[in-house]
Amino acid sequence: MDNHPIGIFDSGVGGTSIWKEINALLPNEDTIYLADSRHAPYGEKPTKEIVRLSIKNTELLLAKGCKLIVVACNTATTNAIDYLRKSYNIPFIGIEPAIKPAALQSQSKTVGVLATKGTLSSSLFHSTTVSHANGIKIIEQVGKGLVPLIEAGKINSPETKSLLVTYLKPMLDAGIDFLVLGCTHYPYLIPVLEDMLPTNVKIIDSGEAVARQTKAVLSKSGLLTSSNEKGKHQFITNADLRILESFLGDYSTSIKTDYQDF
Ligand code: DGL
């Protein structure tokens, strides 16, 4: 048993979609969430810079006593998790686009993946695609511009909708029946996407799988909390606190949020 908090970081507010899944499955665990919004988007940065930012976030969470770290960012996972696992002596949970379940269920044998440039160009994404997508056509699309719009709270804006129309077109023309959301910011676009996609196209993301994996690793490592009380949560951002709070919705009243310069 270990009552230290779980650390979670993302390039910004997107990883709150993962935090919600973790909190739903592990309600007694304390958590500390870092939103590195000042340096978003990570997806357009070189690998070296993504690794440097991931180290900075990890060290901050370790200094706060975290027992395990969830890298709630596909871009940071695919570019930096190998380095983090080699460098620090705690478990790391990562997130990658859910190619495998989409490929297994696709009837049209054609799957779309919307993710950042950093994720789609990573060697980890390529090895996952090769091992899970046998015989399936994968239509990759960089979601350039979407993360800054989401970070600005412009989810339902005409700019966001117009980018999505452009990005979905080649996938729909190719006949996808699954759309994989390969960025933790994108689950916040689901209501907009559902209005745009034909009903036969299913949207899939990795949030629930990450929560299950977090629970399994905590349990296997003897790190689950012994507390029976609701967990305490701290959310830290280095940008606009109100934007972060808007992504927490109803939770924001029961959660401590802070601005910190990091
Ligand atoms: N949430 C990050 C991800 O899952 C966004 C990356 C970015 O900042 O570009 O990839």
Side-chain angles (χ1 to χ4, degrees):
M1 293 289 172
D2 187 323
N3 293 359
H4 287 90
I6 295 173
I8 303 171
F9 77 82
D10 178 38
S11 62
V13 295
T16 56
S17 63
I18 307 302
W19 175 85
K20 287 171 191 168
E21 301 283 358
I22 292 171
N23 184 242
L25 194 66
L26 295 159
N28 304 325
E29 294 288 343
D30 292 350
T31 64
I32 301 180
Y33 181 98
L34 279 192
D36 191 13
S37 293
R38 190 189 299 166
H39 300 105
Y42 281 13
E44 298 290 315
K45 297 189 195 310
T47 298
K48 215 173 140 203
E49 179 63 359
I50 300 168
V51 172
R52 188 187 72 76
L53 292 167
S54 301
I55 292 170
K56 168 184 65 82
N57 298 332
T58 297
E59 301 221 330
L60 230 129
L61 290 169
L62 288 177
K64 292 178 186 298
C66 292
K67 61 185 172 184
L68 167 148
I69 291 179
V70 179
V71 182
C73 176
N74 292 258
T75 311
T77 299
T78 50
N79 286 272
I81 204 160
D82 287 347
Y83 179 90
L84 297 176
R85 286 187 172 135
K86 275 187 216 130
S87 309
Y88 301 96
N89 197 20
I90 55 153
F92 285 87
I93 309 293
I95 180 162
E96 284 182 70
I99 303 277
K100 189 179 175 183
L104 285 172
Q105 295 172 69
S106 175
Q107 300 291 311
S108 67
K109 306 279 177 229
T110 312
V111 166
V113 184
L114 186 63
T116 68
K117 184 174 158 209
T119 294
L120 294 176
S121 60
S122 68
S123 48
L124 189 54
F125 175 77
H126 280 284
S127 54
T128 306
T129 309
V130 170
S131 55
H132 295 313
N134 250 344
I136 303 282
K137 195 167 170 198
I138 305 283
I139 314 290
E140 297 175 17
Q141 176 64 54
V142 173
K144 190 169 166 51
L146 292 173
V147 167
L149 285 165
I150 297 166
E151 284 287 322
K154 293 184 178 171
I155 288 171
N156 280 300
S157 67
E159 298 109 286
T160 304
K161 287 180 186 165
S162 137
L163 283 181
L164 287 175
V165 167
T166 310
Y167 296 160
L168 293 177
K169 184 161 189 317
M171 300 186 186
L172 294 174
D173 288 350
I176 62 160
D177 60 356
F178 274 86
L179 171 63
V180 177
L181 301 183
C183 170
T184 55
H185 282 69
Y186 300 167
Y188 288 109
L189 298 173
I190 289 175
V192 182
L193 286 166
E194 279 175 347
D195 279 348
M196 290 180 174
L197 289 168
T199 47
N200 70 308
V201 178
K202 287 168 216 66
I203 300 171
I204 189 161
D205 67 67
S206 317
E208 251 185 82
V210 169
R212 282 198 303 272
Q213 178 69 0
T214 304
K215 186 174 182 182
V217 171
L218 284 175
S219 163
K220 196 180 74 191
S221 322
L223 292 175
L224 284 165
T225 182
S226 60
S227 166
N228 296 318
E229 315 261 300
K230 264 187 166 180
K232 291 186 282 306
H233 309 290
Q234 187 186 11
F235 280 66
I236 304 167
T237 179
N238 51 15
D240 192 335
L241 206 51
R242 285 163 308 173
I243 296 263
L244 175 66
E245 285 167 353
S246 73
F247 280 84
L248 294 171
D250 292 345
Y251 293 104
S252 66
T253 50
S254 57
I255 282 176
K256 187 167 156 10
T257 54
D258 286 307
Y259 171 84
Q260 209 173 300
D261 192 9
F262 65 94

